[in-house]
Amino acid sequence: MPWIYLALGTIGGAAAFVYGFAVRKKRDLVQTTPSSKIRSAALGMVELEGTAQPCKKLFLSPFSKNKAVYYRFLVTVKRHKREDVVIAQFESSEPFYLQDETGRALIVPAGADLRWTGSRKFSGGAGGNSADMEIIRNGLSSLGKVFPHLNFSDRIECEETCVMPGDPVYALGNAEAFNDEAEAQKTGTATLILSKKKGSYFCISNTNQKSVLQNFNADLFVYQYVAPVISVACLYMLVIALRHGS
Amino acid sequence: MVSVILLAAVFAVVLIAGTGISLYNNLVQLKANVDKAWANIDVLLKQRHDELPKLIDTCKGYMKYEQALLEKLTLARTAFLSSANNDEKVAAENNMSKLLKNVFAVAENYPDLKANHGFVQLQSRISSLENNIADRRELFNESVNLYNVGIQQFPAVLISKQMGFEGKKLLEVPGSDTQDVKIDI
């Protein structure tokens, strides 16, 4: 293996290890912040759990045709022995409500650390299936995009994530006042708003705190245990390679 | 080979030091969350107490036979405002909640009072505050629980006592408060 890759592995492993401390800080914030009810949540860093509800209207996701409060998708063409090409990409930035039994909070997802699970995957072409191909074709057509030419060995893949009304939502972020309780009840709006603020962590997930923590712990294991092992192993092999080279 | 061993040693030392720092910072955060949760209850209790003089004045004009109850409410408010520590505050606050329930229950016997717009607004406001106080008590208890678990879990337990992190008490409702409210009419 060329020494350059080993050097990159050594440096990359070390960088991932250092980055792991930033992941640890976020994990600790999720772990130490207690859950609040929306009605009585204090302003500042809060953790909320509830269900998603539409703010203004529902959006029709282009591929799975779900009526969603939020969706995002990524369509790529995987070419044999060449770089993948991104055909279409979108992430909704429209706000939606997080509702619990005591009230509603307005969630503005732009800039948040989005930890969505349960995305649907479609693939057509080499190794894919014709039903998925049709879904991708129709979806791209509804977006005004031309379906790309695929060679025999090419595969087109689409990953779409939707959050539908009633889906569980977890949010950890900085809460600010939006409306007072009486006004919110009268107009059916929210008492709080959660959005990305500079210097403050903001996380949204369609699971719960326990799943988010498990996710973080898995990431932390990779960054803080696997990455240094890879770094040390790469350095060892680099030393061996340089010795044999010299 | 020395460089490999050195790198592995650096990673190990940084990881152990980083974990230790992270543990300590977590304990500090957990303690701060408990203090914040208590302060947030205090904010609502003060708001409730600010409403009480208006409630008592509104009720005095109508509830001519309930002067003893209204006096107890005034004394409970004074007891809260003059309480020296959190335990006394909690006891005064529990007493206040019981007395308020009595006042609103007894007010049902005074249709003129129930029709008073000011009284209806106060009742709604105080009920809303009571609900928020109950929610924040839950939040306080969860904060205390996270803190107590945090200082006892391994490896935080190795440093928590040395660093002066002691366990905290949950906000408990006294046994007498879980019984049905007796209305003295």
Short mmCIF file of all heavy atoms in Angstrom, two decimals, chain B residues 115-180:
data_model
loop_
_atom_site.label_atom_id
_atom_site.label_comp_id
_atom_site.label_asym_id
_atom_site.label_seq_id
_atom_site.Cartn_x
_atom_site.Cartn_y
_atom_site.Cartn_z
N ALA B 115 -69.60 34.82 39.39
CA ALA B 115 -69.95 35.65 38.24
C ALA B 115 -69.02 36.85 38.09
O ALA B 115 -69.04 37.54 37.08
CB ALA B 115 -71.39 36.14 38.38
N ASN B 116 -68.21 37.09 39.13
CA ASN B 116 -67.29 38.24 39.10
C ASN B 116 -66.17 37.96 38.09
O ASN B 116 -65.44 36.98 38.21
CB ASN B 116 -66.72 38.46 40.52
CG ASN B 116 -65.77 39.64 40.57
OD1 ASN B 116 -64.73 39.64 39.93
ND2 ASN B 116 -66.14 40.66 41.33
N HIS B 117 -66.04 38.84 37.12
CA HIS B 117 -65.08 38.64 36.03
C HIS B 117 -63.64 38.58 36.55
O HIS B 117 -62.82 37.76 36.11
CB HIS B 117 -65.23 39.77 35.00
CG HIS B 117 -64.36 39.59 33.80
ND1 HIS B 117 -63.30 40.42 33.52
CD2 HIS B 117 -64.37 38.65 32.83
CE1 HIS B 117 -62.70 40.01 32.41
NE2 HIS B 117 -63.33 38.95 31.97
N GLY B 118 -63.36 39.46 37.54
CA GLY B 118 -62.01 39.49 38.12
C GLY B 118 -61.66 38.17 38.78
O GLY B 118 -60.56 37.64 38.63
N PHE B 119 -62.64 37.60 39.51
CA PHE B 119 -62.41 36.33 40.20
C PHE B 119 -62.17 35.21 39.18
O PHE B 119 -61.27 34.39 39.36
CB PHE B 119 -63.61 35.98 41.09
CG PHE B 119 -63.49 34.63 41.72
CD1 PHE B 119 -62.70 34.43 42.85
CD2 PHE B 119 -64.17 33.53 41.19
CE1 PHE B 119 -62.57 33.17 43.42
CE2 PHE B 119 -64.05 32.27 41.77
CZ PHE B 119 -63.26 32.09 42.89
N VAL B 120 -62.99 35.20 38.13
CA VAL B 120 -62.85 34.13 37.11
C VAL B 120 -61.46 34.19 36.47
O VAL B 120 -60.81 33.16 36.29
CB VAL B 120 -63.97 34.27 36.04
CG1 VAL B 120 -63.69 33.39 34.85
CG2 VAL B 120 -65.32 33.95 36.65
N GLN B 121 -61.02 35.42 36.19
CA GLN B 121 -59.69 35.58 35.58
C GLN B 121 -58.59 35.10 36.51
O GLN B 121 -57.66 34.40 36.09
CB GLN B 121 -59.44 37.06 35.25
CG GLN B 121 -59.88 37.44 33.86
CD GLN B 121 -59.36 38.80 33.45
OE1 GLN B 121 -59.28 39.71 34.28
NE2 GLN B 121 -59.03 38.96 32.20
N LEU B 122 -58.72 35.49 37.80
CA LEU B 122 -57.71 35.09 38.80
C LEU B 122 -57.68 33.57 38.95
O LEU B 122 -56.62 32.95 39.03
CB LEU B 122 -58.02 35.73 40.15
CG LEU B 122 -57.58 37.18 40.32
CD1 LEU B 122 -58.24 37.78 41.55
CD2 LEU B 122 -56.07 37.28 40.43
N GLN B 123 -58.88 32.98 39.00
CA GLN B 123 -58.97 31.52 39.16
C GLN B 123 -58.28 30.82 37.99
O GLN B 123 -57.53 29.86 38.17
CB GLN B 123 -60.44 31.10 39.23
CG GLN B 123 -60.62 29.63 39.57
CD GLN B 123 -62.08 29.25 39.69
OE1 GLN B 123 -62.93 29.86 39.05
NE2 GLN B 123 -62.38 28.26 40.48
N SER B 124 -58.55 31.32 36.79
CA SER B 124 -57.96 30.73 35.59
C SER B 124 -56.43 30.88 35.63
O SER B 124 -55.69 29.94 35.33
CB SER B 124 -58.56 31.41 34.36
OG SER B 124 -57.83 31.07 33.23
N ARG B 125 -55.98 32.06 35.99
CA ARG B 125 -54.54 32.34 36.03
C ARG B 125 -53.83 31.46 37.07
O ARG B 125 -52.79 30.86 36.80
CB ARG B 125 -54.33 33.82 36.35
CG ARG B 125 -52.93 34.23 36.66
CD ARG B 125 -52.22 34.82 35.47
NE ARG B 125 -50.89 35.28 35.87
CZ ARG B 125 -49.77 34.70 35.48
NH1 ARG B 125 -49.79 33.66 34.67
NH2 ARG B 125 -48.60 35.15 35.87
N ILE B 126 -54.46 31.37 38.27
CA ILE B 126 -53.83 30.56 39.33
C ILE B 126 -53.86 29.08 38.97
O ILE B 126 -52.88 28.36 39.21
CB ILE B 126 -54.50 30.84 40.70
CG1 ILE B 126 -54.14 32.28 41.16
CG2 ILE B 126 -54.05 29.83 41.75
CD1 ILE B 126 -54.88 32.74 42.38
N SER B 127 -54.94 28.62 38.36
CA SER B 127 -55.01 27.20 37.93
C SER B 127 -53.93 26.91 36.90
O SER B 127 -53.28 25.86 36.95
CB SER B 127 -56.37 26.88 37.32
OG SER B 127 -57.35 26.93 38.30
N SER B 128 -53.75 27.85 35.97
CA SER B 128 -52.71 27.68 34.96
C SER B 128 -51.34 27.62 35.62
O SER B 128 -50.50 26.77 35.27
CB SER B 128 -52.80 28.83 33.95
OG SER B 128 -51.69 28.83 33.12
N LEU B 129 -51.11 28.50 36.59
CA LEU B 129 -49.83 28.50 37.32
C LEU B 129 -49.64 27.19 38.08
O LEU B 129 -48.54 26.64 38.12
CB LEU B 129 -49.75 29.68 38.29
CG LEU B 129 -49.49 31.05 37.67
CD1 LEU B 129 -49.70 32.16 38.69
CD2 LEU B 129 -48.07 31.14 37.10
N GLU B 130 -50.73 26.68 38.69
CA GLU B 130 -50.64 25.40 39.43
C GLU B 130 -50.21 24.27 38.50
O GLU B 130 -49.39 23.43 38.86
CB GLU B 130 -52.01 25.04 40.05
CG GLU B 130 -52.49 25.97 41.13
CD GLU B 130 -51.91 25.63 42.49
OE1 GLU B 130 -51.23 24.60 42.63
OE2 GLU B 130 -52.12 26.42 43.41
N ASN B 131 -50.78 24.25 37.29
CA ASN B 131 -50.41 23.20 36.32
C ASN B 131 -48.94 23.33 35.94
O ASN B 131 -48.21 22.33 35.87
CB ASN B 131 -51.27 23.31 35.05
CG ASN B 131 -52.69 22.86 35.27
OD1 ASN B 131 -52.95 22.07 36.18
ND2 ASN B 131 -53.61 23.38 34.48
N ASN B 132 -48.51 24.58 35.71
CA ASN B 132 -47.11 24.79 35.34
C ASN B 132 -46.18 24.42 36.50
O ASN B 132 -45.11 23.85 36.28
CB ASN B 132 -46.87 26.25 34.95
CG ASN B 132 -47.48 26.58 33.60
OD1 ASN B 132 -47.89 25.70 32.86
ND2 ASN B 132 -47.57 27.86 33.28
N ILE B 133 -46.61 24.73 37.73
CA ILE B 133 -45.79 24.38 38.90
C ILE B 133 -45.66 22.86 39.00
O ILE B 133 -44.57 22.33 39.25
CB ILE B 133 -46.38 24.97 40.20
CG1 ILE B 133 -46.20 26.50 40.22
CG2 ILE B 133 -45.72 24.35 41.44
CD1 ILE B 133 -47.00 27.20 41.29
N ALA B 134 -46.77 22.16 38.77
CA ALA B 134 -46.74 20.69 38.82
C ALA B 134 -45.77 20.14 37.77
O ALA B 134 -44.98 19.23 38.04
CB ALA B 134 -48.13 20.12 38.60
N ASP B 135 -45.81 20.71 36.56
CA ASP B 135 -44.89 20.26 35.51
C ASP B 135 -43.44 20.53 35.90
O ASP B 135 -42.55 19.69 35.67
CB ASP B 135 -45.16 21.00 34.18
CG ASP B 135 -46.48 20.56 33.56
OD1 ASP B 135 -46.99 19.49 33.93
OD2 ASP B 135 -46.99 21.31 32.70
N ARG B 136 -43.19 21.69 36.48
CA ARG B 136 -41.80 22.03 36.84
C ARG B 136 -41.33 21.23 38.04
O ARG B 136 -40.11 21.00 38.19
CB ARG B 136 -41.67 23.53 37.11
CG ARG B 136 -41.78 24.30 35.79
CD ARG B 136 -41.15 25.62 35.80
NE ARG B 136 -41.32 26.27 34.50
CZ ARG B 136 -41.07 27.54 34.28
NH1 ARG B 136 -40.63 28.32 35.25
NH2 ARG B 136 -41.25 28.06 33.07
N ARG B 137 -42.24 20.79 38.89
CA ARG B 137 -41.86 19.88 39.98
C ARG B 137 -41.38 18.55 39.39
O ARG B 137 -40.38 17.97 39.82
CB ARG B 137 -43.03 19.62 40.91
CG ARG B 137 -43.35 20.79 41.85
CD ARG B 137 -44.61 20.56 42.60
NE ARG B 137 -44.41 19.67 43.74
CZ ARG B 137 -44.86 19.90 44.95
NH1 ARG B 137 -45.53 21.00 45.21
NH2 ARG B 137 -44.67 19.03 45.92
N GLU B 138 -42.10 18.10 38.37
CA GLU B 138 -41.68 16.86 37.68
C GLU B 138 -40.29 17.05 37.07
O GLU B 138 -39.44 16.16 37.14
CB GLU B 138 -42.65 16.55 36.53
CG GLU B 138 -43.82 15.66 36.91
CD GLU B 138 -44.68 15.32 35.71
OE1 GLU B 138 -44.11 14.92 34.67
OE2 GLU B 138 -45.90 15.46 35.82
N LEU B 139 -40.09 18.22 36.45
CA LEU B 139 -38.80 18.50 35.82
C LEU B 139 -37.70 18.56 36.88
O LEU B 139 -36.60 18.04 36.68
CB LEU B 139 -38.87 19.83 35.07
CG LEU B 139 -37.58 20.25 34.35
CD1 LEU B 139 -37.24 19.28 33.25
CD2 LEU B 139 -37.72 21.66 33.78
N PHE B 140 -38.02 19.16 38.03
CA PHE B 140 -37.05 19.22 39.13
C PHE B 140 -36.69 17.82 39.59
O PHE B 140 -35.51 17.49 39.76
CB PHE B 140 -37.62 20.03 40.30
CG PHE B 140 -36.72 20.05 41.52
CD1 PHE B 140 -35.65 20.92 41.58
CD2 PHE B 140 -36.95 19.18 42.58
CE1 PHE B 140 -34.81 20.93 42.69
CE2 PHE B 140 -36.12 19.19 43.69
CZ PHE B 140 -35.04 20.05 43.75
N ASN B 141 -37.70 16.98 39.76
CA ASN B 141 -37.44 15.61 40.21
C ASN B 141 -36.62 14.83 39.18
O ASN B 141 -35.75 14.04 39.54
CB ASN B 141 -38.75 14.88 40.51
CG ASN B 141 -39.34 15.29 41.85
OD1 ASN B 141 -38.65 15.87 42.69
ND2 ASN B 141 -40.60 14.99 42.06
N GLU B 142 -36.90 15.09 37.91
CA GLU B 142 -36.10 14.40 36.89
C GLU B 142 -34.66 14.89 36.92
O GLU B 142 -33.73 14.09 36.78
CB GLU B 142 -36.69 14.60 35.49
CG GLU B 142 -36.04 13.64 34.50
CD GLU B 142 -36.49 13.80 33.06
OE1 GLU B 142 -37.62 14.30 32.84
OE2 GLU B 142 -35.71 13.44 32.17
N SER B 143 -34.48 16.19 37.12
CA SER B 143 -33.12 16.75 37.22
C SER B 143 -32.39 16.14 38.41
O SER B 143 -31.21 15.77 38.29
CB SER B 143 -33.17 18.27 37.39
OG SER B 143 -33.85 18.88 36.34
N VAL B 144 -33.09 16.03 39.54
CA VAL B 144 -32.46 15.45 40.74
C VAL B 144 -32.12 13.98 40.49
O VAL B 144 -31.05 13.50 40.88
CB VAL B 144 -33.40 15.60 41.96
CG1 VAL B 144 -32.94 14.73 43.12
CG2 VAL B 144 -33.48 17.05 42.38
N ASN B 145 -33.03 13.29 39.84
CA ASN B 145 -32.80 11.87 39.54
C ASN B 145 -31.57 11.69 38.65
O ASN B 145 -30.72 10.83 38.92
CB ASN B 145 -34.04 11.29 38.86
CG ASN B 145 -33.93 9.78 38.69
OD1 ASN B 145 -33.61 9.07 39.63
ND2 ASN B 145 -34.17 9.29 37.50
N LEU B 146 -31.48 12.50 37.60
CA LEU B 146 -30.32 12.43 36.70
C LEU B 146 -29.03 12.71 37.48
O LEU B 146 -28.01 12.04 37.28
CB LEU B 146 -30.45 13.44 35.55
CG LEU B 146 -31.41 13.08 34.42
CD1 LEU B 146 -31.57 14.25 33.46
CD2 LEU B 146 -30.93 11.86 33.66
N TYR B 147 -29.10 13.70 38.36
CA TYR B 147 -27.93 14.07 39.16
C TYR B 147 -27.55 12.93 40.10
O TYR B 147 -26.37 12.54 40.16
CB TYR B 147 -28.24 15.34 39.95
CG TYR B 147 -27.18 15.72 40.96
CD1 TYR B 147 -26.00 16.34 40.57
CD2 TYR B 147 -27.36 15.45 42.32
CE1 TYR B 147 -25.03 16.68 41.51
CE2 TYR B 147 -26.39 15.79 43.25
CZ TYR B 147 -25.25 16.41 42.84
OH TYR B 147 -24.28 16.74 43.76
N ASN B 148 -28.53 12.39 40.84
CA ASN B 148 -28.24 11.32 41.80
C ASN B 148 -27.69 10.07 41.11
O ASN B 148 -26.76 9.43 41.59
CB ASN B 148 -29.49 10.95 42.60
CG ASN B 148 -29.87 12.02 43.62
OD1 ASN B 148 -29.04 12.85 43.99
ND2 ASN B 148 -31.11 12.00 44.06
N VAL B 149 -28.25 9.75 39.94
CA VAL B 149 -27.75 8.61 39.18
C VAL B 149 -26.35 8.93 38.66
O VAL B 149 -25.44 8.08 38.71
CB VAL B 149 -28.71 8.26 38.02
CG1 VAL B 149 -28.06 7.32 37.02
CG2 VAL B 149 -29.99 7.65 38.54
N GLY B 150 -26.16 10.15 38.18
CA GLY B 150 -24.87 10.57 37.62
C GLY B 150 -23.72 10.47 38.60
O GLY B 150 -22.63 10.04 38.22
N ILE B 151 -23.96 10.83 39.87
CA ILE B 151 -22.87 10.80 40.85
C ILE B 151 -22.61 9.40 41.38
O ILE B 151 -21.57 9.16 42.00
CB ILE B 151 -23.11 11.77 42.04
CG1 ILE B 151 -24.35 11.38 42.84
CG2 ILE B 151 -23.18 13.21 41.55
CD1 ILE B 151 -24.50 12.17 44.14
N GLN B 152 -23.57 8.49 41.15
CA GLN B 152 -23.39 7.14 41.69
C GLN B 152 -22.91 6.13 40.65
O GLN B 152 -22.50 5.03 40.98
CB GLN B 152 -24.70 6.65 42.31
CG GLN B 152 -25.02 7.35 43.61
CD GLN B 152 -26.38 6.97 44.15
OE1 GLN B 152 -26.64 5.78 44.34
NE2 GLN B 152 -27.23 7.93 44.38
N GLN B 153 -23.05 6.52 39.34
CA GLN B 153 -22.63 5.59 38.29
C GLN B 153 -21.11 5.51 38.21
O GLN B 153 -20.42 6.49 38.48
CB GLN B 153 -23.19 6.06 36.94
CG GLN B 153 -24.59 5.61 36.67
CD GLN B 153 -25.08 6.03 35.30
OE1 GLN B 153 -24.67 7.06 34.78
NE2 GLN B 153 -25.95 5.23 34.72
N PHE B 154 -20.62 4.35 37.80
CA PHE B 154 -19.18 4.19 37.56
C PHE B 154 -18.87 4.78 36.19
O PHE B 154 -19.63 4.55 35.25
CB PHE B 154 -18.85 2.69 37.62
CG PHE B 154 -17.39 2.39 37.53
CD1 PHE B 154 -16.60 2.42 38.66
CD2 PHE B 154 -16.81 2.12 36.30
CE1 PHE B 154 -15.24 2.15 38.58
CE2 PHE B 154 -15.46 1.85 36.21
CZ PHE B 154 -14.67 1.87 37.35
N PRO B 155 -17.78 5.46 35.96
CA PRO B 155 -16.70 5.78 36.90
C PRO B 155 -16.85 7.10 37.65
O PRO B 155 -15.95 7.47 38.42
CB PRO B 155 -15.49 5.86 35.97
CG PRO B 155 -16.04 6.35 34.67
CD PRO B 155 -17.45 5.86 34.59
N ALA B 156 -17.99 7.81 37.46
CA ALA B 156 -18.16 9.11 38.13
C ALA B 156 -18.12 8.96 39.65
O ALA B 156 -17.68 9.87 40.36
CB ALA B 156 -19.47 9.74 37.70
N VAL B 157 -18.54 7.79 40.15
CA VAL B 157 -18.58 7.58 41.61
C VAL B 157 -17.17 7.68 42.22
O VAL B 157 -17.02 8.02 43.39
CB VAL B 157 -19.25 6.22 41.93
CG1 VAL B 157 -18.37 5.07 41.48
CG2 VAL B 157 -19.61 6.10 43.39
N LEU B 158 -16.15 7.43 41.41
CA LEU B 158 -14.78 7.48 41.92
C LEU B 158 -14.34 8.90 42.27
O LEU B 158 -13.47 9.10 43.11
CB LEU B 158 -13.80 6.89 40.88
CG LEU B 158 -14.04 5.44 40.47
CD1 LEU B 158 -13.12 5.05 39.32
CD2 LEU B 158 -13.83 4.50 41.65
N ILE B 159 -14.94 9.88 41.57
CA ILE B 159 -14.51 11.27 41.79
C ILE B 159 -15.58 12.14 42.44
O ILE B 159 -15.29 13.21 42.95
CB ILE B 159 -14.05 11.94 40.47
CG1 ILE B 159 -15.20 12.02 39.44
CG2 ILE B 159 -12.86 11.20 39.88
CD1 ILE B 159 -14.90 12.92 38.26
N SER B 160 -16.84 11.68 42.45
CA SER B 160 -17.93 12.58 42.87
C SER B 160 -17.80 12.99 44.34
O SER B 160 -17.95 14.16 44.67
CB SER B 160 -19.30 11.95 42.58
OG SER B 160 -19.43 10.71 43.22
N LYS B 161 -17.52 12.00 45.21
CA LYS B 161 -17.44 12.34 46.65
C LYS B 161 -16.25 13.27 46.91
O LYS B 161 -16.36 14.22 47.68
CB LYS B 161 -17.30 11.07 47.48
CG LYS B 161 -18.60 10.42 47.85
CD LYS B 161 -18.63 9.87 49.29
CE LYS B 161 -20.03 9.52 49.72
NZ LYS B 161 -20.57 8.31 49.09
N GLN B 162 -15.12 12.95 46.28
CA GLN B 162 -13.92 13.78 46.48
C GLN B 162 -14.15 15.21 46.02
O GLN B 162 -13.60 16.15 46.57
CB GLN B 162 -12.72 13.20 45.70
CG GLN B 162 -12.02 12.07 46.39
CD GLN B 162 -12.73 10.74 46.22
OE1 GLN B 162 -13.74 10.66 45.53
NE2 GLN B 162 -12.24 9.72 46.86
N MET B 163 -14.98 15.36 44.98
CA MET B 163 -15.24 16.68 44.42
C MET B 163 -16.40 17.38 45.13
O MET B 163 -16.78 18.49 44.73
CB MET B 163 -15.57 16.56 42.92
CG MET B 163 -14.43 16.01 42.10
SD MET B 163 -13.16 17.24 41.89
CE MET B 163 -11.90 16.31 41.07
N GLY B 164 -16.97 16.75 46.14
CA GLY B 164 -18.02 17.42 46.92
C GLY B 164 -19.41 17.34 46.31
O GLY B 164 -20.27 18.16 46.60
N PHE B 165 -19.67 16.34 45.48
CA PHE B 165 -21.02 16.19 44.92
C PHE B 165 -21.81 15.25 45.81
O PHE B 165 -21.55 14.04 45.85
CB PHE B 165 -20.94 15.63 43.49
CG PHE B 165 -20.33 16.59 42.50
CD1 PHE B 165 -19.01 16.45 42.13
CD2 PHE B 165 -21.09 17.62 41.96
CE1 PHE B 165 -18.44 17.33 41.23
CE2 PHE B 165 -20.52 18.50 41.05
CZ PHE B 165 -19.19 18.36 40.69
N GLU B 166 -22.80 15.80 46.53
CA GLU B 166 -23.63 15.01 47.43
C GLU B 166 -25.00 14.80 46.80
O GLU B 166 -25.47 15.62 46.03
CB GLU B 166 -23.82 15.75 48.77
CG GLU B 166 -22.53 16.08 49.49
CD GLU B 166 -21.89 14.87 50.13
OE1 GLU B 166 -22.60 13.88 50.35
OE2 GLU B 166 -20.67 14.90 50.37
N GLY B 167 -25.66 13.70 47.22
CA GLY B 167 -26.99 13.40 46.69
C GLY B 167 -28.01 14.45 47.10
O GLY B 167 -27.84 15.13 48.12
N LYS B 168 -29.06 14.60 46.30
CA LYS B 168 -30.10 15.60 46.61
C LYS B 168 -31.44 14.89 46.78
O LYS B 168 -31.66 13.80 46.27
CB LYS B 168 -30.19 16.62 45.47
CG LYS B 168 -28.96 17.49 45.38
CD LYS B 168 -29.14 18.61 44.41
CE LYS B 168 -27.86 19.41 44.25
NZ LYS B 168 -27.60 20.33 45.37
N LYS B 169 -32.34 15.60 47.51
CA LYS B 169 -33.66 15.01 47.77
C LYS B 169 -34.65 15.37 46.68
O LYS B 169 -34.65 16.48 46.17
CB LYS B 169 -34.19 15.53 49.11
CG LYS B 169 -33.68 14.76 50.33
CD LYS B 169 -34.49 15.11 51.56
CE LYS B 169 -33.64 15.93 52.50
NZ LYS B 169 -34.34 16.41 53.68
N LEU B 170 -35.54 14.41 46.41
CA LEU B 170 -36.62 14.70 45.47
C LEU B 170 -37.70 15.52 46.17
O LEU B 170 -37.82 15.48 47.40
CB LEU B 170 -37.24 13.39 44.98
CG LEU B 170 -36.34 12.47 44.15
CD1 LEU B 170 -36.94 11.07 44.06
CD2 LEU B 170 -36.16 13.02 42.75
N LEU B 171 -38.50 16.22 45.40
CA LEU B 171 -39.65 16.94 45.95
C LEU B 171 -40.77 15.92 46.12
O LEU B 171 -41.30 15.41 45.13
CB LEU B 171 -40.13 18.01 44.97
CG LEU B 171 -39.60 19.43 45.12
CD1 LEU B 171 -40.21 20.32 44.06
CD2 LEU B 171 -39.91 19.98 46.48
N GLU B 172 -41.10 15.63 47.39
CA GLU B 172 -42.13 14.63 47.61
C GLU B 172 -43.39 15.29 48.12
O GLU B 172 -43.31 16.26 48.88
CB GLU B 172 -41.64 13.59 48.62
CG GLU B 172 -40.64 12.64 47.99
CD GLU B 172 -39.90 11.81 49.03
OE1 GLU B 172 -40.12 12.01 50.23
OE2 GLU B 172 -39.10 10.96 48.63
N VAL B 173 -44.53 14.75 47.73
CA VAL B 173 -45.81 15.27 48.23
C VAL B 173 -46.10 14.56 49.55
O VAL B 173 -46.08 13.32 49.59
CB VAL B 173 -46.95 14.98 47.22
CG1 VAL B 173 -48.28 15.46 47.76
CG2 VAL B 173 -46.63 15.65 45.90
N PRO B 174 -46.33 15.31 50.65
CA PRO B 174 -46.61 14.67 51.94
C PRO B 174 -47.85 13.80 51.87
O PRO B 174 -48.74 14.06 51.05
CB PRO B 174 -46.86 15.84 52.90
CG PRO B 174 -46.33 17.03 52.21
CD PRO B 174 -46.37 16.76 50.74
N GLY B 175 -47.92 12.77 52.70
CA GLY B 175 -49.04 11.82 52.68
C GLY B 175 -50.38 12.49 52.82
O GLY B 175 -51.34 12.15 52.14
N SER B 176 -50.45 13.53 53.68
CA SER B 176 -51.75 14.19 53.92
C SER B 176 -52.24 14.89 52.65
O SER B 176 -53.45 15.06 52.45
CB SER B 176 -51.61 15.22 55.04
OG SER B 176 -50.56 16.14 54.71
N ASP B 177 -51.33 15.28 51.77
CA ASP B 177 -51.73 16.00 50.56
C ASP B 177 -52.28 15.07 49.49
O ASP B 177 -52.85 15.52 48.51
CB ASP B 177 -50.54 16.76 49.97
CG ASP B 177 -50.19 17.98 50.83
OD1 ASP B 177 -50.83 18.15 51.86
OD2 ASP B 177 -49.29 18.73 50.45
N THR B 178 -52.04 13.76 49.64
CA THR B 178 -52.55 12.85 48.62
C THR B 178 -53.99 12.40 48.96
O THR B 178 -54.63 11.72 48.18
CB THR B 178 -51.67 11.59 48.50
OG1 THR B 178 -51.63 10.93 49.76
CG2 THR B 178 -50.27 11.96 48.07
N GLN B 179 -54.45 12.80 50.15
CA GLN B 179 -55.84 12.46 50.50
C GLN B 179 -56.77 13.46 49.87
O GLN B 179 -56.36 14.54 49.47
CB GLN B 179 -56.02 12.47 52.03
CG GLN B 179 -55.22 11.37 52.72
CD GLN B 179 -55.14 11.60 54.20
OE1 GLN B 179 -55.73 12.51 54.74
NE2 GLN B 179 -54.36 10.78 54.87
N ASP B 180 -58.09 13.11 49.80
CA ASP B 180 -59.07 14.03 49.25
C ASP B 180 -59.14 15.29 50.11
O ASP B 180 -58.99 15.23 51.33
CB ASP B 180 -60.46 13.37 49.21
CG ASP B 180 -60.59 12.44 48.03
OD1 ASP B 180 -59.80 12.57 47.08
OD2 ASP B 180 -61.46 11.57 48.07
#
